[in-house]
Amino acid sequence: LTQGGQMVVALPLRGSFPEFYDMLREYALRHDQPHFGEAVDAAMARRPNPETLSEAIEAAGFSHVDVGVELVAISFENGRDFLEDPISRLVVAPDVMASLPVDNGVDHAWHYATAAIGKYWSEIPFELTVNIGSVSARKL
């Protein structure tokens, strides 16, 4: 940004997508992969909270930082509707996959999690929980 410019950003904060991370933890338990389960927990913990996000933005040279948080539950008719929705393919999948270590287990875990969501929520509504952090800051 140029001097005096304003940044406005929205992103998922810590606590977002717990339904999906739960399926990844289930994969780790069922396939006896405790290290993968630990990696899932670490990925969730690395996601910023409002305080760490504000600190990082200030450290990057911004001032007048304001971080708002809104807990949103996005409803889908069932798990398959969620998996076919653009929010799943364009937001959740890339975000979650980028947070996990790259190894052979990630692809297997991903396929397991998506199959489980499709199966467990085949006939009931699926809700995706997102803690949306909205940030406004100025570059002075």
PDB file of all heavy atoms in Angstrom, residues 17 21 24 33 46 69 77 86 97 102 118 129 139:
ATOM      1  N   PHE A  17     -13.305 -24.081  10.651  1.00  0.00           N
ATOM      2  CA  PHE A  17     -13.360 -25.389   9.995  1.00  0.00           C
ATOM      3  C   PHE A  17     -13.147 -26.576  10.946  1.00  0.00           C
ATOM      4  O   PHE A  17     -12.543 -27.573  10.554  1.00  0.00           O
ATOM      5  CB  PHE A  17     -12.336 -25.485   8.851  1.00  0.00           C
ATOM      6  CG  PHE A  17     -12.217 -24.277   7.980  1.00  0.00           C
ATOM      7  CD1 PHE A  17     -10.978 -23.812   7.577  1.00  0.00           C
ATOM      8  CD2 PHE A  17     -13.347 -23.597   7.547  1.00  0.00           C
ATOM      9  CE1 PHE A  17     -10.856 -22.699   6.760  1.00  0.00           C
ATOM     10  CE2 PHE A  17     -13.237 -22.484   6.729  1.00  0.00           C
ATOM     11  CZ  PHE A  17     -11.982 -22.032   6.341  1.00  0.00           C
ATOM     12  N   TYR A  21     -11.327 -30.478  10.339  1.00  0.00           N
ATOM     13  CA  TYR A  21     -10.165 -30.929  11.103  1.00  0.00           C
ATOM     14  C   TYR A  21     -10.505 -32.163  11.946  1.00  0.00           C
ATOM     15  O   TYR A  21      -9.662 -33.035  12.131  1.00  0.00           O
ATOM     16  CB  TYR A  21      -9.630 -29.806  11.989  1.00  0.00           C
ATOM     17  CG  TYR A  21      -8.843 -28.758  11.223  1.00  0.00           C
ATOM     18  CD1 TYR A  21      -9.330 -27.465  11.073  1.00  0.00           C
ATOM     19  CD2 TYR A  21      -7.605 -29.063  10.663  1.00  0.00           C
ATOM     20  CE1 TYR A  21      -8.601 -26.501  10.389  1.00  0.00           C
ATOM     21  CE2 TYR A  21      -6.873 -28.105   9.975  1.00  0.00           C
ATOM     22  CZ  TYR A  21      -7.376 -26.821   9.848  1.00  0.00           C
ATOM     23  OH  TYR A  21      -6.660 -25.883   9.164  1.00  0.00           O
ATOM     24  N   LEU A  24     -10.034 -35.133   9.836  1.00  0.00           N
ATOM     25  CA  LEU A  24      -8.612 -35.436   9.655  1.00  0.00           C
ATOM     26  C   LEU A  24      -8.030 -36.117  10.890  1.00  0.00           C
ATOM     27  O   LEU A  24      -7.220 -37.041  10.781  1.00  0.00           O
ATOM     28  CB  LEU A  24      -7.838 -34.160   9.325  1.00  0.00           C
ATOM     29  CG  LEU A  24      -8.182 -33.507   7.989  1.00  0.00           C
ATOM     30  CD1 LEU A  24      -7.495 -32.150   7.855  1.00  0.00           C
ATOM     31  CD2 LEU A  24      -7.804 -34.417   6.821  1.00  0.00           C
ATOM     32  N   GLN A  33      -1.888 -43.149  12.945  1.00  0.00           N
ATOM     33  CA  GLN A  33      -0.887 -42.159  12.532  1.00  0.00           C
ATOM     34  C   GLN A  33      -0.896 -40.991  13.518  1.00  0.00           C
ATOM     35  O   GLN A  33      -1.391 -39.903  13.203  1.00  0.00           O
ATOM     36  CB  GLN A  33      -1.158 -41.685  11.115  1.00  0.00           C
ATOM     37  CG  GLN A  33      -0.994 -42.777  10.088  1.00  0.00           C
ATOM     38  CD  GLN A  33      -0.947 -42.220   8.683  1.00  0.00           C
ATOM     39  OE1 GLN A  33      -0.744 -41.036   8.459  1.00  0.00           O
ATOM     40  NE2 GLN A  33      -1.121 -43.098   7.720  1.00  0.00           N
ATOM     41  N   ARG A  46      -1.714 -22.939  14.777  1.00  0.00           N
ATOM     42  CA  ARG A  46      -0.969 -21.905  14.049  1.00  0.00           C
ATOM     43  C   ARG A  46      -1.868 -20.840  13.436  1.00  0.00           C
ATOM     44  O   ARG A  46      -1.422 -19.742  13.113  1.00  0.00           O
ATOM     45  CB  ARG A  46      -0.129 -22.536  12.934  1.00  0.00           C
ATOM     46  CG  ARG A  46       1.185 -23.090  13.392  1.00  0.00           C
ATOM     47  CD  ARG A  46       2.094 -23.431  12.227  1.00  0.00           C
ATOM     48  NE  ARG A  46       1.502 -24.353  11.277  1.00  0.00           N
ATOM     49  CZ  ARG A  46       1.558 -25.683  11.380  1.00  0.00           C
ATOM     50  NH1 ARG A  46       2.156 -26.238  12.411  1.00  0.00           N
ATOM     51  NH2 ARG A  46       1.005 -26.455  10.467  1.00  0.00           N
ATOM     52  N   VAL A  69     -14.276  -9.880  14.874  1.00  0.00           N
ATOM     53  CA  VAL A  69     -14.473 -11.321  14.731  1.00  0.00           C
ATOM     54  C   VAL A  69     -15.962 -11.620  14.693  1.00  0.00           C
ATOM     55  O   VAL A  69     -16.730 -11.078  15.489  1.00  0.00           O
ATOM     56  CB  VAL A  69     -13.822 -12.097  15.897  1.00  0.00           C
ATOM     57  CG1 VAL A  69     -14.049 -13.590  15.737  1.00  0.00           C
ATOM     58  CG2 VAL A  69     -12.349 -11.785  16.000  1.00  0.00           C
ATOM     59  N   GLU A  77     -27.351 -28.407   2.740  1.00  0.00           N
ATOM     60  CA  GLU A  77     -28.395 -29.422   2.894  1.00  0.00           C
ATOM     61  C   GLU A  77     -27.833 -30.744   3.387  1.00  0.00           C
ATOM     62  O   GLU A  77     -28.492 -31.468   4.124  1.00  0.00           O
ATOM     63  CB  GLU A  77     -29.147 -29.625   1.580  1.00  0.00           C
ATOM     64  CG  GLU A  77     -30.129 -28.517   1.300  1.00  0.00           C
ATOM     65  CD  GLU A  77     -31.053 -28.869   0.161  1.00  0.00           C
ATOM     66  OE1 GLU A  77     -31.467 -30.042   0.048  1.00  0.00           O
ATOM     67  OE2 GLU A  77     -31.376 -27.956  -0.608  1.00  0.00           O
ATOM     68  N   PRO A  86     -18.497 -24.212  -4.113  1.00  0.00           N
ATOM     69  CA  PRO A  86     -17.229 -23.507  -4.320  1.00  0.00           C
ATOM     70  C   PRO A  86     -16.491 -23.148  -3.027  1.00  0.00           C
ATOM     71  O   PRO A  86     -15.268 -23.116  -3.011  1.00  0.00           O
ATOM     72  CB  PRO A  86     -17.634 -22.237  -5.076  1.00  0.00           C
ATOM     73  CG  PRO A  86     -18.897 -22.620  -5.782  1.00  0.00           C
ATOM     74  CD  PRO A  86     -19.589 -23.588  -4.849  1.00  0.00           C
ATOM     75  N   MET A  97      -5.306 -27.680   3.347  1.00  0.00           N
ATOM     76  CA  MET A  97      -4.176 -28.413   2.772  1.00  0.00           C
ATOM     77  C   MET A  97      -2.867 -27.653   2.949  1.00  0.00           C
ATOM     78  O   MET A  97      -1.826 -28.252   3.213  1.00  0.00           O
ATOM     79  CB  MET A  97      -4.422 -28.709   1.297  1.00  0.00           C
ATOM     80  CG  MET A  97      -5.554 -29.697   1.061  1.00  0.00           C
ATOM     81  SD  MET A  97      -5.236 -31.332   1.739  1.00  0.00           S
ATOM     82  CE  MET A  97      -4.198 -31.998   0.462  1.00  0.00           C
ATOM     83  N   VAL A 102       3.438 -31.465   4.029  1.00  0.00           N
ATOM     84  CA  VAL A 102       3.344 -32.166   2.758  1.00  0.00           C
ATOM     85  C   VAL A 102       4.051 -33.515   2.881  1.00  0.00           C
ATOM     86  O   VAL A 102       5.246 -33.586   3.084  1.00  0.00           O
ATOM     87  CB  VAL A 102       3.975 -31.333   1.623  1.00  0.00           C
ATOM     88  CG1 VAL A 102       3.914 -32.087   0.312  1.00  0.00           C
ATOM     89  CG2 VAL A 102       3.284 -29.999   1.502  1.00  0.00           C
ATOM     90  N   GLY A 118     -19.193 -36.758   3.333  1.00  0.00           N
ATOM     91  CA  GLY A 118     -20.267 -37.178   2.434  1.00  0.00           C
ATOM     92  C   GLY A 118     -21.121 -38.283   3.024  1.00  0.00           C
ATOM     93  O   GLY A 118     -22.339 -38.317   2.832  1.00  0.00           O
ATOM     94  N   THR A 129     -18.303 -24.260  10.391  1.00  0.00           N
ATOM     95  CA  THR A 129     -18.052 -23.172  11.325  1.00  0.00           C
ATOM     96  C   THR A 129     -16.842 -22.374  10.862  1.00  0.00           C
ATOM     97  O   THR A 129     -15.785 -22.948  10.581  1.00  0.00           O
ATOM     98  CB  THR A 129     -17.788 -23.727  12.734  1.00  0.00           C
ATOM     99  OG1 THR A 129     -18.904 -24.539  13.115  1.00  0.00           O
ATOM    100  CG2 THR A 129     -17.600 -22.614  13.736  1.00  0.00           C
ATOM    101  N   LYS A 139      -1.700   2.377   6.488  1.00  0.00           N
ATOM    102  CA  LYS A 139      -0.245   2.447   6.263  1.00  0.00           C
ATOM    103  C   LYS A 139       0.141   3.916   6.361  1.00  0.00           C
ATOM    104  O   LYS A 139      -0.196   4.707   5.496  1.00  0.00           O
ATOM    105  CB  LYS A 139       0.087   1.875   4.880  1.00  0.00           C
ATOM    106  CG  LYS A 139       1.537   1.841   4.563  1.00  0.00           C
ATOM    107  CD  LYS A 139       2.175   0.631   5.168  1.00  0.00           C
ATOM    108  CE  LYS A 139       3.569   0.456   4.597  1.00  0.00           C
ATOM    109  NZ  LYS A 139       4.178  -0.760   5.033  1.00  0.00           N
TER     110      LYS A 139
END
